[in-house]
Amino acid sequence: MEEFELNHLSATIKVINKKIEKAQIELADLKNLFEEKRLELGNNFYEYKQGQDLSGTFSSMSQIEEQQLGLEKEISKLRNQNNSPYFARIDFQTSSALQKVYIGLGSIISNKKVYAVDWRSPIASIYYEYELGDAQYKINDKVIKGALTLKRQYKIENQQLLSYFDTNLTINDEILQEILSKHASDKMRQIVSTIQKEQNSIIRTEKTENILVQGVAGSGKTSIALHKAAYLLYKHRRSLKSSDILVLSPNNIFSSYISEVLPQLGEDNLVETTFAQLVRTELKRPIEPREDMLDEIATKADQDTLNEISYKSSYEFLDSLLRFLKGPLTDIFSPKTLRYVIKEKDEGNEEIIFSEEETRNLFFKTFKGYDFYERINKIAWQYAMVFTEKRHYNKVQHRGLKERFKQILYSFMPISDVEQIFQIFMAREKLSAKKTSTIKYMDKGTYLAIKHYLYGLDHDFSAKYLIIDEMQDFTPVDIYMFKKIWSCPYMIVGDVNQCIEKNLSKEYLQLTADFLGCNVYNLNKTYRSTQEIASFANNMIGIKNVEYVNRRGQSPKVIKSANQGDTIAKIIVEECSDFDHIAIICKCHKEAKEICKQLNGKVDYVFMKEPEDYKNKVLVTTCATAKGIEFDAVIVPNADEENYKNNLDKNILYISSTRALHKLYFTCQNNPSKFLKNAIQEKE
């Protein structure tokens, strides 16, 4: 092994250790200073109580706390990088010099010498984008041209250089396969050392560009979105904080699963929520969990229900809703003349009059292009200004007048209750709508759209950048509300093939991209599963033109047995004992509970309900809950021809299958489903 490489690694580790030591000393000093300030505040409280200004003391303490947090974050990042300071090196020859650039999680610089650069830095893009030969990178608007003469990848663990490879590719296949063959973790991992060229181009898109990423199962969509966030936080660190980026994720379990990616990259976690939580906050009503909705259609879906879901998932439904809101609903606004006496006189009272015709013209003509609540706001403000100008009201009084006028203007609506309006719209569409306290999952966007159109939103959900995961699970009405709520740039990721309750087409994908003004990026290479599992799953639903990493493994198996509990326990004990995460993925909760009974006393398991459950080795769950997460091995019980027979069932089987990294099993008592014809058939 080259002495130069060993010396550089040793020198880099020494620099990191010195930086950690220095930061720890500074942190200790700050803690002592903060304690001194706190004691000073306590000892001199009587003097302060007599009227001395406290603002300077509290401001100083606040600044100290902020510095402490910054140092703690820096120490954490340095410790994270200490075991493996960098993962690659490029030699870049320009007309004036040869640069040897080491690439890691963060920049390591001491006495103006650069030991490693951050993977997000402009020059590091050469590593991801180019093969040996002519290359270039861009700093601001300046293009630096040269030649890439060396591309080297390292395997460094616990500060030890185990090996390195020179390659002409972005990622050496040997390193990539070794990383992909590892066991599943209870948290998603950062992928900076294995980012591929097509992934890198998405990560480094401009902040102002709206992008929609359509990626096959296992293509790294979610991971890329989180690395995109890390890249933006690095590039725009003066104007963008982690709290400025919002992630809409499928559920709380998934949120927990992705929660460590940003900290691994040295960044604070982003703000995460689900769209259902947001709607619940705004409407103050419970929302049916998506898992419950899928449970219902998986067990007793009739064709009418599926047709209704399909219609509510269409842009045609969105168009009908908007036409209803802006047409028939708005048209029932019926103003009356408003007359106010502002001064009584013997010769006649001085009055302010807002005629019915004036209000009608303002509402239906002047402010026609606005939503209902915006029209009301503008008219109320205009009418309040008339009083303010004539009676010289101050700003506080003006706001009160405006609110009073809003109440009066809303009283001109014969119907203004969101629930009533929803019921009327559903009746017009000939759709069922039982009035319950809980809003149906498929209707959450419709309720929010009605509330927003009539009244606006009560809460501020603003962000400077929005990431939407599992795009295919949202309806066009939901997507319309994203556009209404957030005016910031956004990145949307998903896979039209991974939708359970409906079948989506490429045309739908393009419609969504056009509607949101997004550029579409396609990821057709899968990294998660072995080639045997991935090709089996893709053949099941007829997906073609998928690229596979050359990682081979065992073909999926179907095992027919009289006792599935015994069979599943045997698979876990005899064939999956070395794995860290094994999922038994069922069609619905009822089936999952039955499987739990069959496993009692035979194997230790946890029924996955909460985020912390994922830490366990054997999990019983449903397809809806497991979506987006990966496991070392997956077992799908009751995979017979009666349980999995239609398109919806096929979607469930496909999504369940694509959760598996290394091994995939199906068990059944009766004849296997027709969708499993390409799996190896076995009998107990």
Side-chain angles (χ1 to χ4, degrees), residues 484-496:
K484 279 288 185 180
I485 297 170
W486 293 286
S487 57
C488 63
Y490 33 78
M491 177 180 188
I492 302 171
V493 299
D495 179 12
V496 292

Side-chain angles (χ1 to χ4, degrees), residues 507-562:
E507 288 72 24
Y508 175 88
L509 185 73
Q510 192 58 54
L511 266 174
T512 301
D514 293 342
F515 180 75
L516 292 173
C518 291
N519 292 323
V520 179
Y521 292 81
N522 288 287
L523 295 173
N524 296 317
K525 192 169 186 177
T526 179
Y527 300 92
R528 177 186 295 135
S529 307
T530 62
Q531 187 169 334
E532 285 75 11
I533 293 172
S535 59
F536 164 80
N538 290 328
N539 287 334
M540 185 193 301
I541 62 169
I543 301 179
K544 298 178 180 178
N545 302 319
V546 176
E547 296 179 55
Y548 304 98
V549 175
N550 187 27
R551 185 168 73 86
R552 309 310 295 258
Q554 173 184 291
S555 294
K557 289 183 181 179
V558 180
I559 303 173
K560 186 177 178 182
S561 72

Side-chain angles (χ1 to χ4, degrees), residues 138-202:
K138 193 175 181 180
I139 298 181
N140 298 323
D141 293 325
K142 186 178 180 182
V143 176
I144 312 297
K145 294 184 178 181
L148 180 59
T149 59
L150 176 74
K151 182 181 283 190
R152 181 168 287 177
Q153 292 153 37
Y154 302 90
K155 184 179 179 183
I156 302 172
E157 293 179 3
N158 298 319
Q159 303 183 347
Q160 299 297 311
L161 178 58
L162 303 180
S163 61
Y164 62 83
F165 303 86
D166 290 346
T167 178
N168 191 30
L169 304 173
T170 303
I171 302 298
N172 183 281
D173 197 49
E174 184 176 338
I175 291 178
L176 181 59
Q177 286 197 42
E178 182 180 342
I179 290 171
L180 295 176
S181 64
K182 288 183 177 180
H183 290 180
S185 168
D186 63 342
K187 302 288 184 186
M188 182 181 282
R189 292 179 283 229
Q190 54 87 1
I191 59 166
V192 291
S193 63
T194 61
I195 292 171
Q196 303 293 292
K197 182 176 181 179
E198 69 276 9
Q199 297 172 330
N200 182 63
S201 65
I202 296 171

Side-chain angles (χ1 to χ4, degrees), residues 21-163:
E21 185 180 346
K22 181 184 176 184
Q24 286 175 327
I25 292 170
E26 291 178 6
L27 181 61
D29 290 343
L30 281 173
K31 287 181 177 179
N32 290 334
L33 181 59
F34 184 85
E35 185 62 19
E36 287 174 13
K37 292 282 184 183
R38 190 185 67 79
L39 290 172
E40 178 188 334
L41 189 64
N43 293 335
N44 299 314
F45 183 73
Y46 179 77
E47 286 78 4
Y48 289 139
K49 195 175 180 181
Q50 301 309 305
Q52 186 172 334
D53 186 10
L54 290 172
S55 59
T57 303
F58 282 124
S59 176
S60 175
M61 292 176 73
S62 178
Q63 288 175 2
I64 293 169
E65 281 189 307
E66 192 173 328
Q67 288 175 303
Q68 281 182 250
L69 289 172
L71 281 170
E72 286 170 353
K73 180 180 174 182
E74 182 184 346
I75 291 168
S76 176
K77 185 174 181 179
L78 287 166
R79 283 175 173 165
N80 196 22
Q81 198 169 354
N82 201 18
N83 286 333
S84 182
Y86 47 82
F87 55 84
R89 166 186 157 188
I90 56 171
D91 287 2
F92 185 60
Q93 179 70 60
T94 64
S95 57
S96 58
L98 174 66
Q99 294 175 274
K100 295 180 180 179
V101 182
Y102 289 81
I103 302 169
L105 284 177
S107 296
I108 306 297
I109 304 170
S110 179
N111 296 324
K112 296 184 179 180
K113 181 176 179 180
V114 180
Y115 291 84
V117 302
D118 195 296
W119 65 277
R120 299 165 288 188
S121 63
I123 195 169
S125 66
I126 293 175
Y127 168 71
Y128 298 109
E129 294 288 336
Y130 291 97
E131 297 179 359
L132 298 182
D134 292 342
Q136 64 183 41
Y137 67 97
K138 193 175 181 180
I139 298 181
N140 298 323
D141 293 325
K142 186 178 180 182
V143 176
I144 312 297
K145 294 184 178 181
L148 180 59
T149 59
L150 176 74
K151 182 181 283 190
R152 181 168 287 177
Q153 292 153 37
Y154 302 90
K155 184 179 179 183
I156 302 172
E157 293 179 3
N158 298 319
Q159 303 183 347
Q160 299 297 311
L161 178 58
L162 303 180
S163 61

Side-chain angles (χ1 to χ4, degrees), residues 633-645:
V634 166
I635 303 167
V636 181
N638 298 318
D640 58 57
E641 57 187 359
E642 182 58 33
N643 202 28
Y644 290 96
K645 58 190 175 185

Side-chain angles (χ1 to χ4, degrees), residues 612-656:
E612 55 269 22
D613 293 338
Y614 187 69
K615 295 177 181 178
N616 292 277
K617 178 171 181 172
V618 180
L619 296 167
V620 178
T621 185
T622 64
C623 176
T625 303
K627 206 156 172 268
I629 304 174
E630 60 187 29
F631 306 90
D632 293 314
V634 166
I635 303 167
V636 181
N638 298 318
D640 58 57
E641 57 187 359
E642 182 58 33
N643 202 28
Y644 290 96
K645 58 190 175 185
N646 56 36
N647 277 337
L648 186 145
D649 299 330
K650 182 168 66 173
N651 293 343
I652 293 174
L653 276 180
Y654 171 73
I655 293 167
S656 299

